[in-house]
């Protein structure tokens, strides 16, 4: 029975270099090496159960369910790769593996007034532009930093879901779009965090401006399908997290039940 270590080695050598987040995946697999060291592929389910039960941070505190889930998924991906591509075992070694359920959806939405207050408190010009762009586009910070301006749209050739995307430029950030010069992500993050605290938006993440854009669209009556397209969601389930905001639209739809359909008579020919 081949060892899990062999499967991970093949994955690191052949697959990881092709992944966008390959370096991070390699680090996560290394962090759980103690759990699968010298264990056979047939023991993958037990290895994952052990990791769920015993994995801790450096200070001895339990890992978050999201971290455990992600690491187990990386490990099972490596083992399945070795099974499919190199036949290191006869059956899917991850067939019986379960991962922790994670419910970490955030319900933090900033208003336009919040955005303007944060911008007034932000001392970094590039970060101010990024905050405004995030609110008026729904783009992630990483997308803002690499988006190309072409006419009246931002073009994202490479996105999280693997599909290219075009985001219309809102008139209120057209000047920002033309003059925005990318800088290190950490610079914007630090400037944003300082501005956030001074503005009294404690606990809000930069990414929450993306949620705020979705909220603003829904409150303006835009349907969830269109909101998903603006945000670049390939799976409708990603947009479904905002469905609770569409109460007014749902109420209007329900109000149509039982209403008489206006009679449309045929027009007489002159």
């Amino acid at each position: 029975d081949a060892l899990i270590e062999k499967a991970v080695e093949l994955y690191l050598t052949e697959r990881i270099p092709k992944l966008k987040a390959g370096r991070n995946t390699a680090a996560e697999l290394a962090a759980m090496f103690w759990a699968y060291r010298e264990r056979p592929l047939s023991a993958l389910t037990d290895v994952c159960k052990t990791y769920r039960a015993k994995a801790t941070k450096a200070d001895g505190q339990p890992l978050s369910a999201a971290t455990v889930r992600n690491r187990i998924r990386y490990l099972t991906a490596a083992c399945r790769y070795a099974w499919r591509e190199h036949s290191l075992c006869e059956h899917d070694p991850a067939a019986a593996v379960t991962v922790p359920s994670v419910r970490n959806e955030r319900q933090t939405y900033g208003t336009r007034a919040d955005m303007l207050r944060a911008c007034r408190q932000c001392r970094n010009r590039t970060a101010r532009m990024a905050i405004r762009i995030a609110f008026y586009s729904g783009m992630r910070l990483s997308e803002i930093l690499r988006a190309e301006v072409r006419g009246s749209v931002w073009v994202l050739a490479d996105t999280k879901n693997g599909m290219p995307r075009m985001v219309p430029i809102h008139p209120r950030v057209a000047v920002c779009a033309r003059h925005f010069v990318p800088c290190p992500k950490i610079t914007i993050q630090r400037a944003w965090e300082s501005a956030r605290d001074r503005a009294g938006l404690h606990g809000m993440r930069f990414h929450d401006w993306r949620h705020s854009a979705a909220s603003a669209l829904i409150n303006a009556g835009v349907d969830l399908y269109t909101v998903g397209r603006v945000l670049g969601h390939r799976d409708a389930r990603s947009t479904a997290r905002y469905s609770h905001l569409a109460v007014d639209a749902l109420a209007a739809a329900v109000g149509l039940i039982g209403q008489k359909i206006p009679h449309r008579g045929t027009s007489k020919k002159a």
Side-chain angles (χ1 to χ4, degrees):
D1 196 356
L3 296 179
I4 295 176
E5 291 174 61
K6 178 61 177 177
V8 171
E9 180 184 347
L10 289 169
Y11 193 69
L12 292 175
T13 302
E14 301 176 5
R15 183 63 180 151
I16 286 295
K18 301 176 183 178
L19 299 178
K20 183 189 248 184
R23 183 176 299 180
N24 178 68
T25 301
E28 296 293 279
L29 287 169
M32 61 186 309
F33 177 69
W34 61 268
Y36 62 80
R37 182 179 182 181
E38 298 182 356
R39 299 297 302 277
L41 278 167
S42 58
L44 180 60
T45 300
D46 290 334
V47 166
C48 293
K49 287 181 180 178
T50 298
Y51 192 75
R52 288 182 63 173
K54 298 183 177 181
T56 61
K57 301 177 184 177
D59 61 3
Q61 294 297 313
L63 288 175
S64 69
T67 298
V68 173
R69 176 198 61 185
N70 291 341
R71 289 181 178 175
I72 288 177
R73 284 179 173 173
Y74 294 144
L75 184 60
T76 55
C79 293
R80 278 179 164 148
Y81 178 85
W83 163 58
R84 289 195 309 266
E85 304 297 327
H86 295 277
S87 303
L88 289 193
C89 55
E90 294 183 2
H91 307 287
D92 180 1
V97 172
T98 58
V99 296
S101 59
V102 178
R103 295 189 61 84
N104 58 358
E105 298 91 346
R106 292 173 58 93
Q107 306 296 329
T108 302
Y109 306 101
T111 64
R112 179 173 178 271
D114 293 329
M115 180 272 294
L116 293 175
R117 190 163 70 253
C119 287
R120 284 194 293 269
Q121 296 296 330
C122 187
R123 297 166 183 169
N124 182 290
R125 182 171 181 266
T126 303
R128 284 198 303 272
M129 288 185 177
I131 293 169
R132 291 177 62 84
I133 291 172
F135 179 79
Y136 283 110
S137 71
M139 287 193 291
R140 304 173 178 87
L141 178 53
S142 59
E143 293 174 336
I144 293 172
L145 291 173
R146 68 172 185 274
E148 297 181 14
V149 176
R150 297 182 189 172
S152 61
V153 298
W154 280 290
V155 177
L156 292 161
D158 185 20
T159 62
K160 186 176 180 181
N161 67 22
M163 300 292 290
R165 175 162 128 247
M166 291 191 297
V167 182
I169 297 175
H170 194 289
R172 288 183 176 174
V173 287
V175 174
C176 292
R178 291 196 301 269
H179 297 284
F180 184 78
V181 178
C183 68
K185 185 176 181 180
I186 189 64
T187 300
I188 294 179
Q189 287 283 15
R190 287 174 177 168
W192 149 248
E193 290 169 4
S194 297
R196 171 197 65 193
D197 294 341
R198 287 193 295 271
L201 301 173
H202 305 290
M204 188 173 183
R205 305 173 305 171
F206 188 95
H207 190 76
D208 290 328
W209 291 120
R210 176 172 167 83
H211 301 318
S212 302
S215 173
L217 286 168
I218 291 172
N219 288 336
V222 178
D223 62 274
L224 287 175
Y225 173 76
T226 303
V227 172
R229 291 194 63 188
V230 171
L231 298 182
H233 290 161
R234 186 161 60 177
D235 190 333
R237 289 175 295 183
S238 298
T239 316
R241 74 174 67 181
Y242 305 112
S243 59
H244 67 286
L245 298 175
V247 175
D248 291 342
L250 294 176
V254 171
L256 296 176
I257 296 175
Q259 289 189 7
K260 293 182 179 180
I261 301 175
H263 177 70
R264 296 182 179 178
T266 55
S267 59
K268 297 180 180 180
K269 292 183 180 180

